[in-house]
Amino acid sequence: MKKFEFKKLVTVTNILIVILILIYILDRFLPFPSGYDGYNAWDDESSPVFNYIFGSCGGLLTNYMAVGSTLVPNGLALYRRLTNMFLHGHILHLIANLVGLYFIGNYAEKRFGWLTYVLFTIVSFVEGFITDPLYAAITSTPEEELLAIPTMGASGGIFGLIGVTLAAIFFDIKSFKKIDNTTIIVSAVYGFLTTYVVSFGWTTVCHNVAMILGLIIGVIIILPFFLLKKGKFAPQQVNGQTEDNNAN
């Protein structure tokens, strides 16, 4: 019987997963300060049981970390473009991203190392600025109306990791065989669920635009690394001379 090695579980991805869970719990269930009049996710039309099970209650951290013009203080502050990716609106949102991050994130981290979460951060930050204006243009929805709704979630960053992986496979098709079947299946299911089920198509702020942008930005960021260093089109030194692989 193969001995289980606990240290293999200690990855940046898994540490991030623990952080996301802790932040979700604190955000949903921290008691509000006396006289608090900020954002409250409690749904008065649903039963208390529903609110607690699906995490609709609370939202103390959302008020200070998510993006939204109605949040105080200064709901559109620059730092919120980073902190909002640590938040999740409800339990299904959290579970979907945790599963996707565990499989996709761990594979990307194993292959790219520290670059994985530099990329994750960049994608989440950049797509946060583009999503609302683009979505508003596509759907003819006033941008002010979109900005009024608290925006949160790590989906854009995770799609960025998928974009990186797809770009890597393009330049090294043999690497596809090294991806375990579970990761491939989870990536496909995650992409489908977050795009067409969790986000209900184009009808919510957690929508396809953020996912697609994350995918595109991830590919754009990683492509230069393959073109210059690892791609099949990158020049190699052969007998002291530069030879273009494309000539083979």
Side-chain angles (χ1 to χ4, degrees):
M1 183 178 179
K2 189 176 181 180
K3 185 179 179 181
F4 176 76
E5 295 184 36
F6 177 78
K7 64 180 181 180
K8 289 185 177 180
L9 294 177
V10 184
T11 63
V12 175
T13 300
N14 291 341
I15 292 174
L16 177 59
I17 285 174
V18 173
I19 292 173
L20 293 180
I21 293 173
L22 290 176
I23 288 179
Y24 179 80
I25 293 173
L26 291 173
D27 186 40
R28 298 296 95 179
F29 304 113
L30 274 177
F32 294 123
S34 177
Y36 175 82
D37 60 357
Y39 175 79
N40 187 343
W42 186 276
D43 184 0
D44 291 325
E45 296 182 359
S46 301
S47 68
V49 174
F50 179 92
N51 276 280
Y52 280 108
I53 291 178
F54 290 97
S56 296
C57 49
L60 187 62
L61 296 185
T62 293
N63 205 71
Y64 297 98
M65 296 171 64
V67 177
S69 60
T70 57
L71 303 177
V72 291
N74 194 2
L76 300 178
L78 187 63
Y79 79 88
R80 292 174 180 265
R81 298 294 180 179
L82 288 176
T83 57
N84 84 91
M85 67 183 178
F86 293 100
L87 300 165
H88 292 85
H90 51 78
I91 192 66
L92 295 179
H93 187 196
L94 175 68
I95 291 173
N97 278 346
L98 292 184
V99 173
L101 187 60
Y102 178 79
F103 289 97
I104 300 165
N106 273 306
Y107 171 78
E109 181 182 348
K110 182 179 179 181
R111 177 153 191 185
F112 303 108
W114 62 269
L115 178 63
T116 301
Y117 287 97
V118 171
L119 175 77
F120 183 87
T121 303
I122 292 174
V123 171
S124 298
F125 187 73
V126 173
E127 63 96 11
F129 284 98
I130 305 174
T131 297
D132 286 326
L134 183 57
Y135 180 76
I138 293 174
T139 62
S140 299
T141 303
E143 189 173 346
E144 295 77 14
E145 181 179 323
L146 294 176
L147 291 175
I149 305 172
T151 301
M152 65 195 81
S155 304
I158 296 174
F159 268 78
L161 299 182
I162 295 176
V164 170
T165 303
L166 290 176
I169 292 174
F170 175 79
F171 285 106
D172 181 15
I173 194 65
K174 293 181 180 179
S175 66
F176 182 78
K177 297 180 180 179
K178 299 178 181 179
I179 306 176
D180 62 89
N181 293 334
T182 303
T183 299
I184 295 173
I185 294 172
V186 168
S187 299
V189 173
Y190 174 81
F192 174 78
L193 288 179
T194 54
T195 304
Y196 295 106
V197 179
V198 176
S199 63
F200 298 103
W202 293 89
T203 59
T204 67
V205 177
C206 178
H207 44 62
N208 293 351
V209 175
M211 316 302 182
I212 295 172
L213 280 175
L215 190 67
I216 294 173
I217 295 170
V219 172
I220 291 174
I221 291 175
I222 202 65
L223 275 179
F225 290 91
F226 284 96
L227 289 171
L228 297 175
K229 296 180 180 181
K230 300 178 181 179
K232 66 178 182 178
F233 303 113
Q236 293 182 342
Q237 292 293 328
V238 179
N239 298 324
Q241 297 180 345
T242 299
E243 180 181 43
D244 194 327
N245 283 341
N246 206 29
N248 292 335

